[in-house]
Amino acid sequence: MDMVERVARKMCALDGHPQTIQHEGKPMWASYAEEARTIIMTMREPTKAMEDAWGRNSPGGSNAQRDWNSMIDAALAEPPHV
């Protein structure tokens, strides 16, 4: 399950909807996919605390923002599994 789907399913559940019911010919969670992508995109820029935590735990020569952006970009590039 890709990250967009995981976030969309969680948003659907938090709204109290069964994730597997159909909405416009697709699973209900799929109607949350665009909002989930927006939320994940918002997370693309790490906070100072995130960068500091990365610096304490990363191998030498690593760049927190570059690495984090690469991970978020990979999550957004995963094809949807609707």
Side-chain angles (χ1 to χ4, degrees), residues 24-62:
E24 298 180 355
K26 297 179 182 176
M28 181 60 134
W29 67 262
S31 66
Y32 289 83
E34 195 56 40
E35 289 174 304
R37 290 182 64 75
T38 300
I39 289 166
I40 293 167
M41 191 62 171
T42 301
M43 295 175 59
R44 195 167 186 280
E45 296 301 318
T47 65
K48 176 77 168 102
M50 292 165 72
E51 289 179 351
D52 290 347
W54 181 257
R56 288 190 303 271
N57 298 306
S58 68
S62 193

